[in-house]
Structures are given as structure tokens and as C-alpha cells.
Amino acid sequence: MSTNPAAPVQKFTPAPARSRFARFFRASRGDSPFKRLLIHLTLILACVIAVYPVLRVVSVSLRPGDRLLSTSLAIIPPDATLDNYLTVLLEKDFLLWVWNSLLVTVATALIGVALASTAAYAFSRWRFRGRTAGLIFLLSTQMIPAAMLMVPLFILAVRLNLVGTYRGLVLAYSVTSIPFSIWILKGYYDTIPIDLEEAALIDGANRLEAFWRIVLPLSTPALAIVFLFNFMTAWNDYLLARVFVANATSIWTWPLGLQLLQGQFTTAWGQFAAASIMVMMPVVALFLYSTRYLISGLTIGSVKG
Amino acid sequence: MEKLTLDVILASLSEVGSTVLFILVGVVVLEAVLYLLFGVVFKNKYTLPILLLAPAVVGLTLLIIYPLLWEFNLSLTNMSLRRFGDKAQYTWVACQSADPGTIQNWLTDCLLRNYADVFRLPVLKQVYFFPVFGRTILWTVINVVFHVAGGLGLAILLNRPMRGRGLYRTLLILPWAIPQVIAALAWRGEFHYEYGFLNIFLTRLGLTPISWMSDPTWNFIAMCIVNIWLGIPFMMVILLGGLQSISQEYYEAAEIDGAGAWQQFRSITLPLLQPVMTPAIILGTIWTFNNFNIPFFINQNELETSDILVTALFRAAFQYNRYGFSAAFAFVIFIILLVYAVVYIKTVRIEGIYE
């Protein structure tokens, strides 16, 4: 519901250039050294709480097999080794899991973006009957708990022989992010002046060409955000994979595999940690790089009703 | 043990490729039919938007609307693993074969039997609906309160020029960037009685270690700790964005009028943050209410006392295989969310009048 058009975000003045005063409580030059120290200490403490559990995963992944279970709190164990990484890469099915996830995720993200980008254009440029109802419907699908859809999807998939296949996963994932994607893209299209398309129409292009040649290229940032969002949703999903392919180990995605490794706590904790780090690295890097765009994308969608 | 070999890669590529091709062909056929129908036969002026919308509409109908309608139908039947095939019956049909003397209320014993069962029978083995519902509300309130308080606190601290601001921000966002499944599984390891870092800390401080996994109360607290850790960065980023859009002039004016820090916070920051905060809280509430991964994974011993509504729904469906019952259970949860959303929209409209 965050994207409710009723939220009057746009009524506020845009941020001014940063004044030399702090924006809060008092001017920072007026902050006593003691207060500044206190602020830094609080932030450092918060950072430690945020980062420490992640460092622990790094630490466990570097432990040699016979020292997995230790009560040491050192981040880099004295006898650090990359054995766990090698085991996961060479002896476990880790690469297969990642491959499966990657394949299904890329396919579904492409389908999702294709379907959402065209539908969003219709919502943005035409006032047809049922438009508002459609937008509200899209918004309300965001409230449906995932577990609720699993019951019918599972039984229907069993009847259509889609359980334990890539096909079932691709079909099911491809629509899950469409409602949200349509909202974001519609918001973005709304900010593109219609004059550009009208000029193209005068020059003899038809509406579809105007969309393809002008609107889509101008929307590259929004399309990237939506692709990323679709990708992340499918990449990080556990529930649907569990329901659809739990019994077909050759189609397992990485969340299922990691759950297996973590389940054998005493024997494979280090392997789980190593696998986690390898899955996490690219996702975290991508995420930290794109947060700024991600958030501006989210707010565009919410501001432009 | 399956290996990633060239054969596996080719086989998987061909299956996914053929699926994508199948969808593509379906879209082309659909577009052609619609074009002939609306563009050529009816000459409808909305032909292009219809063509643009059609694939998404068909996809959503087949994979969201139809399953939901079918699920409603399912909620009126007695389907379970035992009656998976064609043996499932509508509850009111099954009712007719029973002894008529035992039927006291046709509505709750026959037609809406599953819906009545949600409230009068245990939803899992032992727990009933209302305790789970109460726990879900408690879970949602605790998490959202901590998310907002923590996020707002950190946003305020970060909203000033200072050294290391970018670094702090990046480090603080980290929990949000980590895939939830990994975070949940890693934390689950850290709640281990002997080797998890929380208990190691407690032991070193001379306190008794906590049995996070087997004690119901502590397991619930463990769930909350993980989810609060995960959720604060989102609120922090959103609220920081909101704070930065508040003009400094308000504070300067307030300062001239002699307003103190607390007064400035109450009468400038909070009201001006409202438009950003309200949607974020609504979204956070729905996310937390529907959160599956954290309660499911942290509750390693499958304590029924740690289940919230959505995990209970999952277990009822996929561990106890009571499909008809779970469908009814799902609709009860959905109605709760719907009521919440309607109340929210009403409130926002009322606020809108005062703008």
C-alpha cells in the first residue's frame, strides 16, 4: 500500500542545497564535542550490530573442518583456510543450484519486464474503462500472502505435471512481480512528456513505433530497476521453490541447497557459510550499488498516482 | 548427487528455452486474434491498449485470479492428501451421507464447515486460531515499532554533515542487502545453544546461556531479533530521504522563536515526515504480517508456539496436507488483511481532508 496515490508526497518543497547547518536539532557547529562523540559512538555501535553477524558467517566459512564447532569469537580464525569454499565448489551441488537459480531467474525477469513494460504503457497513456479498478487490483495483489497462493498453485501444478520442472518455476515466477513492476513503470512513463510522442506521430511514426523508439529508450533507468526487482524476487525466493521442486534435487535452487547444508549443522556449517558468502557477494554488491536508484524508483512509483 | 555437467546445462537450457518460446508463441497468437477481433472487425479505438495489456492480463488471470477463485472453491471441499484425486467432495455433499440427526447447523457443519473449523478446531496439532492470530499481531507490532524507532533514530543521527557519513550508511544498509534466506539460516546457526555467538557472549559475561531453539518465549524473541535486525535499514533509508526533504528554514525559524529540540521534533519533524512515514509503516506492517522466511527458519524445532498465521497456513497445507481446510484458513487471513487495508485507506482519506 505504500504506493497509494493519496499520499501527498509531492506537495513538499524539494530538498534545498545542503546548508552549512545540520538539518537536525541544532547546527552541528554548535554541537559540543561531547555530543559529537556520543553520536559517533552510537553509530559505531549500530554498525557493529549490523555487520557483526555477517562477519561471523565469513569467520565460520574460513574455519578448518575440525574446528567448526568452537567457542572462539575471533573474526579471522588463526588457522584460516579456504577448504570449505573448495568443498562446496567441487564436491557439493552448489554450482548446479546456482545455475538453476540463475537460469530460472533471468528467464522470468525478462518475461516479467516485457509483460509489465507494455501493460504499464497502456495504463499510463490511455483512459479506458476499468483503468482505476485495474490499478487498485494490482495494488491489492501485493497484500496476498505468498503462502495463500501456494495451495492452489501446488495442486494445479500437480494436475498439469508441472511439479519438479523448470517449466513450472518459470511460469509461476514470471507473473509474481508484474503488479509491482506495472506500478513503477507507469509512474515513470507518466513523467515522460507526451509531446515527444506526438512529435513522432506528426513525423509519420505510428503509436507503437513511438513507444518502441522514444518511450522505452527514455525509460532505461526504470526498466533496469524493474528488471533488478524481478530478478531479486525470484532469486531470493524459497517458498515457491520449496513447494514446486522440493522433491526434484536436480532442479533445486540455491535457497533449497543452502537449507540442506545448514540443516547438517555439525558437519556442514562451514560449507553453508562458504556457500552463503559466494551467493551473497554479487547480490550485496549489486544492491549497495543500486540502492540509490532503487529508492528513487520506488518513490517515483508512489508519487505519481 | 547431481553434478553440473554439460548435459545438465543443455537439458535445462532447452527446457527453459522451450518454455519461453511457448510463452512467446502464445503471446503472438493472442495478439493476432485480438488484433483481428478489435482492430479489423470492431475497429475499436482502444485496440492498441488492449493489445498492450492482453499478455499481462492473461498471465495474471491464469496465475493469480484463477488460482484464487479455484482456492475459494477448494475451501468448500474436504480435499486432503487422502482425497487428492477425484475423491474430494464439497463439504455439503459429504454432509448428506452423514446421519441427519447429528447435523445441528447446516451452515457451519456442512456448507462452511472448513471456515467454522478454522475457529473451532486446532489449526495445527494443538494450537487454535486465536492464539496464533494474537501472536501474529504481537509479532507485527513489536517488529514495526522497533523498525520505525530504530530507523528514525539512525536517520536522525545520519542526517547531518559529519565525517564517515557515507561509510556508516553503507554499513547500516548491509542487513537489507543480504538475501533473507541466508540471513535467517545464518542467524539460526547463531542461536545454537553452545556454539552460537549470542550464547558465547552470555557465557563470557557470566550469565546463563539461553535455549533459543527449545524455549517457546525465547524462540519468539529470537524471531523478533532477526527480523528487527533485517528491517531497520529499509525504514532508515526511507526516513532519511524524508528528513532530507524537510527545509532547514523551519528549524531556523523555530530556533528564533525559542523552540527546544524536543519541541522542534514534535511540531516540525514528525508532521512533515508523515507523508513518507505512513506508507512505509503500512507497507512494513503488511510485509511483517506476511513474513514467512524468518518465523519458518528460526523455528527450527517446529514449535507450534512460534508459528504466525502464514507459517501455520503453510504447515497446515504442506505438512498436514489439509488442502480444503488450508484454503479456508487462507481466506480468513486474507479477509483480516483486507479489513486492515480498508481501514487504512479510510484513515488516509480523512487525513487528506485536512490538507
Side-chain angles (χ1 to χ4, degrees):
Chain A
M1 299 301 293
S2 79
T3 43
N4 193 303
V9 179
Q10 68 273 42
K11 282 180 191 159
F12 290 90
T13 45
R18 176 174 301 166
S19 71
R20 65 195 170 90
F21 294 105
R23 299 222 163 75
F24 220 77
F25 288 154
R26 287 280 157 83
S28 85
R29 293 197 170 175
D31 282 347
S32 61
F34 176 69
K35 190 178 166 189
R36 258 182 284 166
L37 182 73
L38 215 59
I39 289 172
H40 278 282
L41 283 180
T42 318
L43 284 172
I44 289 169
L45 181 71
C47 287
V48 168
I49 294 174
V51 174
Y52 184 72
V54 187
L55 287 181
R56 272 284 290 189
V57 179
V58 177
S59 158
V60 172
S61 77
L62 294 174
R63 287 184 194 166
D66 56 342
R67 282 196 58 256
L68 273 182
L69 300 176
S70 97
T71 50
S72 153
L73 287 172
I75 297 295
I76 307 279
D79 39 4
T81 148
L82 291 176
D83 280 357
N84 288 318
Y85 290 85
L86 292 177
T87 315
V88 166
L89 283 175
L90 301 177
E91 289 167 33
K92 297 283 167 177
D93 305 344
F94 179 71
L95 287 175
L96 177 74
W97 301 331
V98 172
W99 164 255
N100 285 338
S101 279
L102 202 63
L103 185 64
V104 169
T105 305
V106 169
T108 56
L110 287 175
I111 296 171
V113 172
L115 297 191
S117 60
T118 48
Y121 187 62
F123 273 116
S124 170
R125 290 296 192 259
W126 280 274
R127 301 284 176 273
F128 46 88
R129 213 187 311 154
R131 178 177 175 272
T132 318
L135 285 172
I136 290 176
F137 166 76
L138 290 177
L139 212 56
S140 54
T141 58
Q142 298 307 102
M143 279 182 357
I144 301 172
M148 180 180 187
L149 267 175
M150 289 308 134
V151 183
L153 281 183
F154 171 68
I155 298 174
L156 292 171
V158 169
R159 296 200 167 162
L160 295 170
N161 278 327
L162 288 173
V163 168
T165 63
Y166 292 102
R167 206 169 293 132
L169 280 185
V170 171
L171 287 173
Y173 280 136
S174 57
V175 294
T176 40
S177 314
I178 285 186
F180 192 70
S181 311
I182 292 182
W183 263 94
I184 301 248
L185 286 171
K186 178 199 159 287
Y188 197 86
Y189 293 155
D190 285 350
T191 64
I192 298 175
I194 200 162
D195 311 359
L196 294 175
E197 288 151 79
E198 279 165 0
L201 292 181
I202 290 167
D203 289 346
N206 66 34
R207 203 69 204 246
L208 208 56
E209 280 171 348
F211 171 59
W212 182 254
R213 294 260 173 86
I214 295 170
V215 178
L216 272 189
L218 283 175
S219 309
T220 323
L223 291 171
I225 290 165
V226 166
F227 181 84
L228 191 72
F229 184 80
N230 278 262
F231 186 92
M232 291 287 205
T233 311
W235 179 258
N236 292 335
D237 174 82
Y238 167 80
L239 189 57
L240 195 99
R242 154 86 187 247
V243 170
F244 269 53
V245 297
N247 293 327
T249 44
S250 61
I251 305 188
W252 273 16
T253 52
W254 68 258
L256 295 174
L258 256 62
Q259 191 201 10
L260 177 79
L261 289 181
Q262 207 279 343
Q264 311 161 337
F265 181 80
T266 44
T267 51
W269 199 18
Q271 292 163 19
F272 158 76
S276 296
I277 297 294
M278 285 189 279
V279 173
M280 207 155 76
M281 284 297 197
V283 180
V284 170
L286 194 65
F287 187 90
L288 292 182
Y289 171 74
S290 62
T291 358
R292 201 174 325 158
Y293 310 101
L294 209 67
I295 287 156
S296 66
L298 294 175
T299 33
I300 287 168
S302 70
V303 171
K304 293 282 167 183
Chain B
M1 180 138 298
E2 321 273 343
K3 279 278 163 291
L4 184 66
T5 59
L6 193 63
D7 286 350
V8 173
I9 292 181
L10 289 178
S12 56
L13 269 179
S14 81
E15 190 180 331
V16 172
S18 67
T19 312
V20 174
L21 199 69
F22 170 77
I23 294 175
L24 211 63
V25 171
V27 168
V28 169
V29 171
L30 177 75
E31 297 286 340
V33 170
L34 287 177
Y35 178 72
L36 287 177
L37 198 63
F38 288 97
V40 179
V41 180
F42 291 123
K43 302 229 182 288
N44 193 311
K45 65 172 174 159
Y46 287 121
T47 305
L48 185 57
I50 288 172
L51 292 183
L52 289 170
L53 280 170
V57 170
V58 170
L60 290 173
T61 310
L62 287 182
L63 286 151
I64 293 183
I65 300 177
Y66 173 70
L68 283 180
L69 293 176
W70 195 80
E71 186 172 25
F72 181 70
N73 183 45
L74 186 70
S75 75
L76 302 175
T77 72
N78 60 6
M79 199 207 250
S80 62
L81 193 62
R82 209 153 46 86
R83 305 197 189 87
F84 195 79
D86 301 323
K87 280 176 255 165
Q89 285 177 314
Y90 285 103
T91 40
W92 74 78
V93 175
C95 201
Q96 281 166 357
S97 55
D99 177 15
T102 58
I103 300 167
Q104 285 167 354
N105 185 331
W106 196 78
L107 197 66
T108 57
D109 285 345
C110 296
L111 184 63
L112 299 178
R113 187 188 182 119
N114 286 328
Y115 288 89
D117 282 352
V118 170
F119 298 105
R120 69 184 172 192
L121 294 179
V123 287
L124 296 172
K125 269 210 180 87
Q126 284 155 9
V127 288
Y128 284 81
F129 175 79
F130 284 105
V132 182
F133 183 36
R135 191 175 317 118
T136 311
I137 291 179
L138 187 68
W139 153 261
T140 311
V141 170
I142 291 177
N143 278 294
V144 173
V145 165
F146 275 95
H147 288 164
V148 174
L152 186 60
L154 290 174
I156 288 173
L157 292 183
L158 282 175
N159 189 35
R160 65 185 77 229
M162 63 156 127
R163 222 168 282 158
R165 186 166 174 269
L167 182 67
Y168 285 136
R169 193 172 167 279
T170 310
L171 290 178
L172 289 171
I173 287 177
L174 198 65
W176 185 17
I178 290 170
Q180 230 181 38
V181 175
I182 291 185
L185 288 172
W187 270 100
R188 181 163 93 176
E190 300 299 353
F191 287 119
H192 189 274
Y193 187 79
E194 250 174 292
Y195 304 113
F197 77 79
L198 287 157
N199 275 357
I200 298 179
F201 276 143
L202 289 177
T203 324
R204 297 215 176 163
L205 291 173
L207 302 167
T208 8
I210 293 165
S211 30
W212 297 99
M213 282 306 166
S214 47
D215 185 299
T217 316
W218 284 111
N219 195 245
F220 183 76
I221 293 173
M223 280 158 50
C224 291
I225 291 176
V226 177
N227 202 49
I228 290 167
W229 182 81
L230 275 172
I232 284 182
F234 171 76
M235 280 293 172
M236 182 191 86
V237 169
I238 296 280
L239 295 180
L240 187 59
L243 284 179
Q244 283 171 344
S245 70
I246 299 176
S247 167
Q248 184 61 29
E249 288 163 22
Y250 293 116
Y251 296 106
E252 283 161 10
E255 204 129 311
I256 291 166
D257 291 345
W262 173 244
Q263 253 182 318
Q264 292 182 20
F265 177 71
R266 277 222 19 221
S267 22
I268 300 174
T269 314
L270 273 188
L272 290 182
L273 213 49
Q274 203 68 39
V276 179
M277 201 141 84
T278 314
I281 290 176
I282 299 306
L283 193 69
T285 309
I286 289 175
W287 279 349
T288 313
F289 190 96
N290 283 340
N291 191 314
F292 177 83
N293 288 336
I294 305 306
F296 184 77
F297 284 121
I298 298 298
N299 182 10
Q300 191 168 20
N301 297 344
E302 301 187 1
L303 303 171
E304 293 195 348
T305 47
S306 288
D307 272 317
I308 65 169
L309 285 174
V310 287
T311 54
L313 169 62
F314 179 83
R315 286 190 213 282
F318 295 104
Q319 285 183 356
Y320 298 104
N321 301 304
R322 301 157 74 191
Y323 301 117
F325 172 82
S326 318
F329 190 13
F331 274 96
V332 171
I333 298 175
F334 183 66
I335 287 167
I336 294 171
L337 280 165
L338 207 63
V339 168
Y340 171 77
V342 169
V343 168
Y344 157 69
I345 290 169
K346 285 262 159 69
T347 341
V348 168
R349 288 235 175 99
I350 291 166
E351 274 175 13
I353 294 169
Y354 292 104
E355 283 294 331

Coordinates of all heavy atoms in Angstrom, one line a residue, chain A residues 11-54:
Chain A
K11 N 3.7 17.5 -2.4 CA 3.4 18.8 -2.1 C 4.5 19.5 -1.4 O 4.5 20.7 -1.1 CB 2.2 18.8 -1.1 CG 0.9 18.6 -2.0 CD -0.3 18.6 -1.1 CE -1.5 18.2 -1.9 NZ -2.6 17.7 -1.1
F12 N 5.5 18.8 -1.0 CA 6.6 19.4 -0.2 C 7.7 19.9 -1.1 O 8.0 19.4 -2.1 CB 7.1 18.4 0.8 CG 6.1 18.2 1.9 CD1 5.2 17.2 1.7 CD2 6.0 19.0 2.9 CE1 4.2 17.0 2.7 CE2 5.0 18.9 3.9 CZ 4.1 17.8 3.7
T13 N 8.3 21.0 -0.6 CA 9.4 21.6 -1.3 C 10.5 20.6 -1.5 O 10.9 19.9 -0.5 CB 9.9 22.8 -0.6 OG1 10.0 22.5 0.8 CG2 8.9 24.0 -0.7
P14 N 11.2 20.6 -2.6 CA 12.3 19.8 -2.8 C 13.5 20.2 -1.8 O 13.5 21.3 -1.3 CB 12.7 20.0 -4.2 CG 12.2 21.3 -4.6 CD 10.9 21.5 -3.7
A15 N 14.4 19.2 -1.6 CA 15.5 19.5 -0.7 C 16.3 20.6 -1.2 O 16.7 20.7 -2.4 CB 16.3 18.2 -0.6
P16 N 16.6 21.6 -0.4 CA 17.5 22.7 -0.8 C 18.9 22.2 -0.8 O 19.2 21.2 -0.3 CB 17.3 23.7 0.3 CG 17.0 22.9 1.5 CD 16.3 21.7 1.0
A17 N 19.8 23.0 -1.4 CA 21.2 22.7 -1.4 C 21.6 22.6 0.1 O 21.1 23.3 0.9 CB 22.0 23.7 -2.1
R18 N 22.5 21.6 0.4 CA 22.8 21.4 1.8 C 23.3 22.7 2.4 O 24.3 23.3 2.0 CB 23.9 20.3 1.9 CG 24.3 20.1 3.3 CD 25.2 19.0 3.4 NE 24.5 17.8 2.9 CZ 25.1 16.7 2.6 NH1 26.4 16.6 2.7 NH2 24.4 15.6 2.2
S19 N 22.6 23.2 3.5 CA 23.0 24.4 4.1 C 24.2 24.0 5.0 O 24.5 22.8 5.3 CB 21.9 24.9 5.0 OG 21.7 24.1 6.1
R20 N 24.9 25.0 5.5 CA 26.1 24.6 6.3 C 25.7 24.3 7.7 O 26.5 24.0 8.6 CB 27.2 25.7 6.2 CG 26.8 27.0 6.9 CD 27.7 28.1 6.5 NE 27.2 29.4 6.9 CZ 27.5 29.9 8.1 NH1 28.3 29.3 8.9 NH2 27.0 31.1 8.4
F21 N 24.4 24.3 7.9 CA 23.9 23.9 9.2 C 23.4 22.5 9.2 O 23.0 22.0 8.2 CB 22.7 24.8 9.7 CG 23.1 26.2 9.9 CD1 22.8 27.2 9.0 CD2 23.8 26.5 11.1 CE1 23.1 28.5 9.2 CE2 24.1 27.8 11.3 CZ 23.8 28.8 10.4
A22 N 23.5 21.8 10.3 CA 23.0 20.4 10.3 C 21.5 20.6 10.2 O 20.9 21.6 10.5 CB 23.3 19.8 11.6
R23 N 20.8 19.5 9.7 CA 19.4 19.7 9.5 C 18.6 19.3 10.7 O 17.4 19.4 10.8 CB 19.0 18.8 8.3 CG 19.6 19.1 7.1 CD 18.7 19.1 5.9 NE 19.2 19.8 4.8 CZ 20.2 19.3 4.0 NH1 20.7 18.1 4.3 NH2 20.6 20.0 3.0
F24 N 19.3 18.9 11.8 CA 18.5 18.5 12.9 C 19.0 19.1 14.2 O 20.1 19.3 14.5 CB 18.6 17.0 13.0 CG 17.2 16.5 13.4 CD1 16.2 16.5 12.4 CD2 17.0 16.2 14.7 CE1 15.0 16.1 12.8 CE2 15.7 15.9 15.0 CZ 14.7 15.8 14.0
F25 N 17.9 19.3 15.0 CA 18.1 19.7 16.4 C 18.9 21.1 16.5 O 18.3 22.1 16.7 CB 18.9 18.7 17.3 CG 18.0 17.5 17.6 CD1 18.6 16.3 17.9 CD2 16.6 17.7 17.7 CE1 17.8 15.2 18.2 CE2 15.8 16.6 18.0 CZ 16.4 15.4 18.3
R26 N 20.2 21.1 16.2 CA 21.0 22.3 16.3 C 22.0 22.3 15.2 O 22.2 21.2 14.6 CB 21.7 22.3 17.7 CG 20.9 22.6 18.8 CD 20.6 24.1 19.0 NE 19.4 24.3 19.8 CZ 19.3 24.3 21.1 NH1 20.4 24.1 21.8 NH2 18.2 24.4 21.7
A27 N 22.5 23.4 14.9 CA 23.6 23.4 13.9 C 24.8 22.6 14.5 O 25.1 22.6 15.6 CB 24.1 24.9 13.7
S28 N 25.4 21.8 13.5 CA 26.4 20.9 14.0 C 27.6 21.7 14.6 O 28.3 21.1 15.4 CB 26.9 20.0 12.9 OG 27.9 20.6 12.1
R29 N 27.9 22.9 14.1 CA 29.0 23.6 14.7 C 28.7 23.9 16.1 O 29.7 24.1 16.9 CB 29.2 24.9 13.9 CG 29.7 24.6 12.5 CD 30.2 25.8 11.8 NE 30.9 25.4 10.6 CZ 31.4 26.3 9.7 NH1 31.4 27.5 10.0 NH2 32.0 25.8 8.6
G30 N 27.4 24.0 16.4 CA 27.1 24.3 17.8 C 27.1 23.0 18.7 O 27.1 23.1 19.9
D31 N 27.2 21.8 18.0 CA 27.3 20.6 18.8 C 28.5 20.6 19.6 O 29.6 20.9 19.1 CB 27.3 19.4 17.8 CG 25.9 19.1 17.3 OD1 25.0 19.6 17.8 OD2 25.9 18.3 16.3
S32 N 28.4 20.3 20.9 CA 29.6 20.2 21.7 C 30.3 18.9 21.3 O 29.8 18.0 20.7 CB 29.1 20.0 23.2 OG 28.4 18.9 23.3
P33 N 31.7 19.0 21.5 CA 32.5 17.8 21.2 C 31.9 16.5 21.8 O 31.9 15.5 21.2 CB 33.9 18.1 21.7 CG 33.9 19.6 21.9 CD 32.5 20.0 22.1
F34 N 31.4 16.7 23.0 CA 30.9 15.5 23.7 C 29.7 14.9 23.0 O 29.6 13.7 22.8 CB 30.4 15.9 25.1 CG 29.8 14.8 25.9 CD1 30.5 13.7 26.3 CD2 28.4 14.9 26.2 CE1 29.9 12.7 27.0 CE2 27.8 13.9 26.9 CZ 28.6 12.8 27.3
K35 N 28.8 15.8 22.5 CA 27.7 15.3 21.7 C 28.1 14.6 20.5 O 27.6 13.6 20.1 CB 26.7 16.5 21.4 CG 25.4 16.0 20.9 CD 24.5 17.2 20.6 CE 23.3 16.8 19.8 NZ 22.5 17.9 19.3
R36 N 29.1 15.3 19.8 CA 29.5 14.6 18.5 C 30.1 13.3 18.8 O 29.9 12.3 18.1 CB 30.6 15.6 17.9 CG 30.0 16.3 16.7 CD 31.0 17.2 16.0 NE 31.3 18.4 16.8 CZ 32.4 19.1 16.7 NH1 33.2 18.8 15.7 NH2 32.6 20.2 17.4
L37 N 30.9 13.2 19.9 CA 31.5 11.9 20.2 C 30.4 10.8 20.5 O 30.4 9.7 20.0 CB 32.3 12.0 21.5 CG 33.0 10.8 22.0 CD1 34.2 10.4 21.1 CD2 33.5 10.9 23.4
L38 N 29.3 11.3 21.2 CA 28.2 10.4 21.5 C 27.5 9.9 20.2 O 27.2 8.7 20.1 CB 27.2 11.2 22.4 CG 26.5 10.4 23.5 CD1 27.5 9.8 24.4 CD2 25.5 11.2 24.2
I39 N 27.3 10.8 19.3 CA 26.7 10.4 18.0 C 27.5 9.4 17.3 O 27.0 8.4 16.9 CB 26.5 11.7 17.1 CG1 25.4 12.5 17.7 CG2 26.1 11.3 15.7 CD1 25.2 13.9 17.0
H40 N 28.9 9.6 17.2 CA 29.7 8.7 16.6 C 29.7 7.3 17.3 O 29.7 6.3 16.6 CB 31.1 9.3 16.4 CG 31.3 10.2 15.3 ND1 31.4 9.7 14.0 CD2 31.3 11.5 15.2 CE1 31.5 10.7 13.2 NE2 31.5 11.9 13.9
L41 N 29.8 7.4 18.6 CA 29.8 6.1 19.3 C 28.5 5.3 19.0 O 28.5 4.1 18.8 CB 29.9 6.4 20.8 CG 31.3 6.7 21.3 CD1 31.4 6.9 22.8 CD2 32.3 5.6 20.9
T42 N 27.3 6.0 19.1 CA 26.1 5.3 18.8 C 26.1 4.7 17.4 O 25.7 3.5 17.2 CB 24.9 6.3 18.9 OG1 25.1 7.2 20.0 CG2 23.6 5.6 19.0
L43 N 26.6 5.5 16.4 CA 26.6 5.0 15.1 C 27.5 3.8 14.9 O 27.2 2.8 14.2 CB 26.9 6.1 14.1 CG 25.8 7.1 13.8 CD1 26.3 8.2 13.0 CD2 24.7 6.4 13.1
I44 N 28.7 3.9 15.6 CA 29.6 2.8 15.5 C 29.0 1.5 16.1 O 29.1 0.4 15.5 CB 31.0 3.1 16.2 CG1 31.7 4.2 15.4 CG2 31.8 1.9 16.4 CD1 32.9 4.8 16.0
L45 N 28.4 1.7 17.3 CA 27.7 0.5 17.9 C 26.7 -0.1 16.9 O 26.6 -1.3 16.7 CB 27.0 1.0 19.2 CG 26.3 -0.1 20.0 CD1 27.3 -1.1 20.6 CD2 25.4 0.4 21.0
A46 N 25.9 0.8 16.3 CA 24.8 0.3 15.4 C 25.5 -0.4 14.2 O 25.0 -1.5 13.8 CB 24.0 1.5 14.9
C47 N 26.6 0.1 13.7 CA 27.3 -0.6 12.6 C 27.8 -1.9 13.0 O 27.7 -2.9 12.3 CB 28.4 0.3 12.1 SG 27.9 1.7 11.2
V48 N 28.3 -2.0 14.2 CA 28.8 -3.3 14.7 C 27.7 -4.3 14.8 O 27.8 -5.4 14.3 CB 29.5 -3.1 16.1 CG1 29.7 -4.5 16.7 CG2 30.8 -2.4 16.0
I49 N 26.5 -3.9 15.3 CA 25.4 -4.8 15.4 C 25.0 -5.2 14.0 O 24.6 -6.4 13.7 CB 24.2 -4.1 16.1 CG1 24.6 -3.9 17.6 CG2 23.0 -5.0 16.0 CD1 23.6 -3.1 18.4
A50 N 25.0 -4.3 13.0 CA 24.6 -4.6 11.7 C 25.5 -5.5 11.0 O 25.1 -6.4 10.2 CB 24.4 -3.3 10.9
V51 N 26.8 -5.3 11.2 CA 27.8 -6.1 10.4 C 28.3 -7.3 11.1 O 28.6 -8.3 10.4 CB 29.0 -5.1 10.2 CG1 30.1 -5.9 9.5 CG2 28.6 -3.9 9.3
Y52 N 28.3 -7.4 12.5 CA 28.9 -8.5 13.1 C 28.4 -9.9 12.7 O 29.2 -10.8 12.4 CB 28.8 -8.3 14.7 CG 29.5 -9.4 15.4 CD1 30.9 -9.5 15.4 CD2 28.8 -10.5 16.0 CE1 31.6 -10.5 16.0 CE2 29.5 -11.5 16.6 CZ 30.9 -11.5 16.6 OH 31.5 -12.5 17.3
P53 N 27.0 -10.0 12.6 CA 26.5 -11.4 12.2 C 27.0 -11.8 10.8 O 27.3 -12.9 10.6 CB 25.0 -11.2 12.2 CG 24.8 -10.0 13.1 CD 25.9 -9.1 13.0
V54 N 27.2 -10.8 9.9 CA 27.7 -11.1 8.6 C 29.2 -11.5 8.7 O 29.7 -12.5 8.1 CB 27.6 -9.9 7.7 CG1 28.0 -10.3 6.3 CG2 26.2 -9.4 7.7

